[in-house]
Each structure stands twice: as C-alpha cells, then as structure tokens.
Amino acid sequence: RSCMKQTIKTEIQSKGQSAAIRCPNCAAELSLADVARESSTADAEQLDTFLLQKALSQEPNFVWCAHGCGMGQLVDDLSCNTFMTCQSCGRRTCNHHRTIWHDELSCAEHDRNLQSKQEWQPSFKLDKGTLRSSSRGILYRKSASMQDTINSCVLWGTTVRGWPFNDRWIAVGEFFLPTHLRNVRVIKPLVETYQVD
C-alpha cells in the first residue's frame, strides 16, 4: 500500500492535469475514488483540483485570470475589446487574447504590436535539467496561469522564440510557457551570436 501511495503522489506531482494516473501493476487508469482509497487525502484533493482545472480549461467561455492568481470565470463575450475583472484579485484579463488587459490599446492594435515584436523575438531552450519528470515536455497555456493548459506540448530540448512576460513566464505567439516547474528553471534564454564580416 505504501508503494501505491508513493506512486500516486509521484504521478500527481510530475504529470498534474496533463495525464491520467495509472496503476503501476496493471496500467489501468485510476479513478478519483481509487486515488482517495489508495493515497493520502491531500493527494486525492490535489487530483480533484487538477481534474476540475482540466474540465474548466476545456470550457470555451471559461477564462483564467492572466495575472496568475489561479482563479477564472465564465464570460459571455469573447469578442475583441472585452475584458473580465477577476473576482479574486480584481485585475483585468482580455477575453479575446486571454492575456493581461492591454490598457489603451484595442485588440487590433495589440495584435499589430505583437506582430511587430515577433520579428525580433529572442530564443529560449526547454531544458529539463534537474527536474525529475517523465513528461515529454511542457504544455502551452492560454494565459500566464498553470491551470490554463491547452492540448499542445513543446518537447524537451526544443528552441522556441518568444518574449519574457514576467520573471516566471514567456509569451510565445498568443500562448504562454512557464519558465519554472516545481521551482526548477526549465526554459532558459539562448545567447545568440552573430558573425560580423
């Protein structure tokens, strides 16, 4: 039983909401009831939270707060130039881009700014380094929120172009990647060198 408990804990910590928790003996997918029976209350609650976050992320009208507070809400209007004010932290998120609200810019102006910035984006390398994880890479996020995943993964060792969003995130096109997982830096800036004639 302690082996199963440790396996479940490791699976939840390393995979989060991105993968099913499987039995180490038969590879069958464990239900939430199985996890609750075989592991600690804290692990079962963590898995329940991940499953809720995964379900909410698949709801098209659910927008996670782009400020990283871990909250979100259902919105009626996802069109351009609309925002939601987070009920938890009180800050604004653009409903259309699912990013921090771009004060004084329309969504079209914001898009033009992003397009011009993309021409000069720095490069970043995904490096698992000391992170103990069996995952293939990092899932993109719709916003700078760990819960706001999409079903698209950047593989370890890949180089991406983007902009630092803050000290824990980079923006890659319209999506985001966390620079740290479990307090280990996994996305590192590449120093680009140029040959001068």
Side-chain angles (χ1 to χ4, degrees):
R1 183 167 167 114
S2 66
C3 180
M4 177 66 89
K5 186 175 181 178
Q6 185 58 43
T7 298
I8 290 170
K9 184 179 193 67
T10 302
E11 288 286 298
I12 291 170
Q13 288 178 346
S14 67
K15 294 182 180 174
Q17 61 175 320
S18 64
I21 308 299
R22 301 204 171 272
C23 174
N25 298 323
C26 69
E29 185 174 338
L30 299 179
S31 69
L32 183 57
D34 294 332
V35 171
R37 183 183 64 252
E38 297 292 334
S39 68
S40 70
T41 303
D43 288 339
E45 287 173 355
Q46 183 67 58
L47 180 60
D48 190 37
T49 299
F50 283 151
L51 293 174
L52 174 62
Q53 291 167 346
K54 184 175 184 177
L56 289 172
S57 292
Q58 292 170 348
E59 171 60 45
N61 282 33
F62 188 85
V63 177
W64 290 102
C65 176
H67 297 273
C69 73
M71 302 303 277
Q73 58 202 53
L74 286 169
V75 297
D76 294 327
D77 189 358
L78 294 174
S79 64
C80 290
N81 306 318
T82 61
F83 63 85
M84 68 121 179
T85 301
C86 179
Q87 299 297 313
S88 176
C89 71
R91 294 183 283 182
R92 293 178 177 176
T93 296
C94 175
N95 291 348
H96 179 69
H97 293 106
R98 297 173 188 255
T99 61
I100 292 174
W101 177 244
H102 34 82
D103 286 324
E104 300 179 17
L105 292 177
S106 68
C107 284
E109 292 167 328
H110 179 69
D111 288 341
R112 281 192 294 278
N113 282 352
L114 284 177
Q115 184 63 35
S116 66
K117 285 181 179 178
Q118 286 176 353
E119 296 169 10
W120 299 98
Q121 290 180 340
S123 297
F124 297 86
K125 178 101 173 190
L126 276 72
D127 180 6
K128 187 162 63 166
T130 61
L131 180 71
R132 293 178 55 192
S133 173
S134 60
S135 70
R136 298 181 324 129
I138 301 175
L139 291 174
Y140 280 107
R141 273 54 176 194
K142 293 179 201 169
S143 67
S145 171
M146 291 301 283
Q147 296 83 10
D148 201 8
T149 60
I150 63 170
N151 196 19
S152 180
C153 180
V154 185
L155 301 178
W156 296 117
T158 302
T159 299
V160 296
R161 288 192 162 295
W163 286 103
F165 184 71
N166 59 32
D167 63 336
R168 304 292 280 192
W169 293 90
I170 62 168
V172 180
E174 62 185 85
F175 299 112
F176 296 84
L177 289 170
T179 59
H180 294 73
L181 294 176
R182 294 194 305 276
N183 292 321
V184 174
R185 186 170 188 102
V186 292
I187 296 183
K188 300 173 182 170
L190 288 179
V191 177
E192 306 212 20
T193 58
Y194 300 93
Q195 183 174 353
V196 178
D197 294 329

